[in-house]
Each structure stands twice: as C-alpha cells, then as structure tokens.
Amino acid sequence: MTRQIRTSPAACDQSLHQAYDTALLDLDGVVYAGGRAIGHAVESLVAARADGMHLAYVTNNALRTPEAVAEHLGELGIPTEAAEVITSAQAVARLIAEQVEPGAKVLVIGGEGLRVALRERGLVPVESADEEGLAAVVQGYGGPDLAWGRFAEASYAINRGVPWYVSNTDLTIPGARGIAPGNGAAVEVVRIATGAKPQVAGKPLPPMHRETVLRTGAKRPLVVGDRLDTDIEGAFNGEVDSLLVMTGVTDAEQLLRAEPRHRPTYVDRDLRGLLAGQPEVVPAAEGFRCGGWTAVALNSGVLELCEDDETGADGEAGRDPMDGLRALCAAAWTAAAEGVCTLDAAKALARLGL
C-alpha cells in the first residue's frame, strides 16, 4: 500500500497531550541543550504528565546511562524513572546480542552508557582491539573528551574483519554554546580509515523504534523531536505521528525544504505545543491560510507570505509567526509533492522573524 504524502501540517482539535497516550521525547535540543533546560520545557512536561500523559525520553545520545539521564531530568525539575529513558546504547546492545554468542567480547568506543547497556545484554565490554575472541566493535557518542586514539582502536579491529555497530549517526549535537560534532562525525572518521559500513541502531532506523515500543508499551504515541533526519524520519518509518519543535538543530528553511519522510505531523515553537491543539491549515485562493497568514507559491519561484486584513487574536501585531510557518509549509510541501521545495522563502521567513 502506498503511503499518502504529507503536504501540510495537520490540525488537532484536542490538546496533543490529550490526543496521544505517550510522548516519545528526544532530549538534546528538545528538553535541554548542553545540560540546561530549554525554555518552557520543564513546566510543559510536568503539566502534561500531571494531566495523564505518559512521558518517555528517547535519545540517540549513547553517552550516559538511563539512570544518569533520569537523575539529570529530576535535577531540572522533571521527576523521571530510569525505565522511562530509552537510549540508542540499549538499542545497539540488543542488536549486537542477537548476532553474537552470549558473553561475547565487544570493543567499546564511547561512554559508560554503552558499557552498561552491553552488560545488561550479557555481553562483555573491552577496551582493546587486541582482545582475543573479539566479536564486535560498538561506537557511540563519547563526549568532547573522547580520545582520538579510540577511533584508531576501532579501525584496527574493523580492518581485521570484526563486525562494526554504531549507536547512531547524528552528525551534530546541540549544546549550550551552539552546535557541536555528534557521533555521526566520529563514525565518518572510522569509515574513512576502514572503508567499512556499520550496522546502525539509532533513530530513524527500526532497531530504535522496536526498542522504544518494547520498553514503553505505547498504544498511541507521539514522537517529539527537533531533527528531521532522526526524530521525524523515525516517526515516519514507524508510521506514528510527530511533533517538530523549533528549539534544536532544524531551522525554518530546512523545514520548508523537507522531503516527504522528513515532514512532521505538527510543528510548534517549543514543548508548550504539547499542551495545545494544532490549528488547521486551509486552502485559500491560490495558497494556504493558517491563523492570520496566507502563503502562496508564485510562478516566479518565490514563496510569498501575506497577512490577512483582519486583526490577529492579540491585536495587529499579535499574529503567531508559527501560523505563518505552517502556512508556508503547506505551500512549499504542496509545490514539492514527492520532492524537495526549491522556492525562495527568504523574504517570507524574514517577515516571521525566523
């Protein structure tokens, strides 16, 4: 069966935290950045949970253990149990355990999260490529202090034919000071040295979705993330709805240019979107209207954005820029159909301050 191509953000009459039973939340760029809570994240999550929504934190960051992540969230003001945290380290450890003998030795290139996840699966983490009987190499984000020599250690083993697994391939990771290289950048270092292709467990691939479903038991989940190529594509692959929040690595221009598998069900400014419904984007003349904005794809190759004549809900200056972005998404995605929008949106986005 052919999947319908999304050409517009969807509407939702209910608040999202009431329409879905479980939020599968990314962490970096959604809940926190560089360890610090993102604006409105804590109060939004506490309110959603108090009103009955289950929260699960699904991260491609394999550095820390679920216990450490839960403790950190608690310190931020979000009470969390370790069982509510699902990491790519857990997903890759399960993937390896299904393909090697129990008690097999695995060379670890990364942090403590990987070691704990391997032990949970009955595997033995080791530090040297020279270990006798080495069954696998696993690579995950090791933080900014991971020694360069660890990439060489991985390369030695892989070049000898040892199977290579990686937790995720996110090229970047958001932090308090900006965007930094992620595990995917480190994976490229090893790939260049070996010419090998790893098995990948993390979002957007099926092993991570399977791990999440097994651990949460969600019936009607909503994936919440900031990355099109992991969070949103992972939701697409798992055939579940998604909410993109604009607090991480994805900017408005990238969203407009999203190919079908990267188009979220909903888009909002931050996690306050969980506590609200989502407005309808409707066809209007030759374009699309949302709130006080209308977006049109012109034959000149430009996306045009116009304010409607009527006053917005908060007065003339009170129209929500997110409504304008939603209208632009509909115009861009409809014009692109199965492809990528190439229309010039610079002036339209400047009007929204995005």
Side-chain angles (χ1 to χ4, degrees), residues 12-308:
C12 187
D13 293 335
Q14 293 179 280
S15 295
L16 295 182
H17 77 291
Q18 296 173 332
Y20 297 89
D21 71 335
T22 305
L24 305 179
L25 296 131
D26 185 41
L27 287 170
D28 295 294
V30 176
V31 179
Y32 54 62
R36 300 177 183 175
I38 287 173
H40 308 289
V42 173
E43 54 267 41
S44 298
L45 293 174
V46 169
R49 187 170 191 171
D51 211 18
M53 188 179 215
H54 299 293
L55 306 180
Y57 302 92
V58 185
T59 177
N60 264 358
N61 190 332
L63 178 60
R64 295 191 294 172
T65 65
E67 289 77 11
V69 173
E71 182 180 359
H72 180 205
L73 290 171
E75 291 170 351
L76 295 178
I78 309 169
T80 306
E81 300 293 330
E84 296 171 317
V85 179
I86 300 94
T87 74
S88 62
Q90 294 170 319
V92 76
R94 186 188 296 270
L95 183 64
I96 295 169
E98 292 172 343
Q99 299 180 37
V100 303
E101 295 296 323
K105 295 178 181 179
V106 180
L107 174 62
V108 176
I109 311 299
E112 186 63 15
L114 281 175
R115 295 178 180 86
V116 170
L118 289 170
R119 294 189 189 104
E120 185 184 60
R121 292 288 157 207
L123 303 173
V124 180
V126 299
E127 303 301 316
S128 173
D130 297 328
E131 283 277 352
E132 186 176 350
L134 191 62
V137 176
V138 64
Q139 183 175 0
Y141 183 63
D145 297 325
L146 184 66
W148 186 261
R150 299 306 296 160
F151 305 142
E153 203 69 24
S155 300
Y156 300 148
I158 295 164
N159 281 328
R160 295 171 190 161
V162 178
W164 179 27
Y165 301 80
V166 303
S167 63
N168 67 298
T169 54
D170 298 35
L171 290 172
T172 60
I173 186 168
R177 297 173 60 195
I179 304 298
N183 190 54
V187 168
E188 283 300 296
V189 171
V190 176
R191 185 191 62 79
I192 291 168
T194 63
K197 183 178 180 180
Q199 292 190 52
V200 184
K203 297 179 286 186
L205 298 173
M208 189 66 172
H209 181 72
R210 180 179 57 151
E211 191 73 23
T212 301
V213 170
L214 288 172
R215 290 180 181 266
T216 65
K219 301 300 182 185
R220 182 161 167 73
L222 177 69
V223 170
V224 184
D226 70 308
R227 299 186 73 105
L228 301 179
D229 59 349
T230 55
D231 304 314
I232 306 309
E233 185 177 341
F236 177 87
N237 291 339
E239 299 186 358
V240 298
D241 289 347
S242 60
L243 167 66
L244 179 79
V245 290
M246 306 297 292
T247 50
V249 301
T250 299
D251 62 28
E253 183 176 358
Q254 291 169 330
L255 177 60
L256 297 183
R257 299 187 186 283
E259 58 187 289
R261 60 182 175 159
H262 292 165
R263 296 172 187 169
T265 313
Y266 312 109
V267 57
D268 220 315
R269 182 178 289 101
D270 51 50
L271 284 177
R272 287 176 293 181
L274 274 180
L275 305 177
Q278 294 290 306
E280 186 177 13
V281 182
V282 297
E286 297 180 355
F288 296 87
R289 182 178 184 275
C290 185
W293 302 93
T294 298
V296 180
L298 301 178
N299 291 332
S300 59
V302 173
L303 276 175
E304 183 179 67
L305 185 68
C306 303
E307 291 182 85
D308 294 350

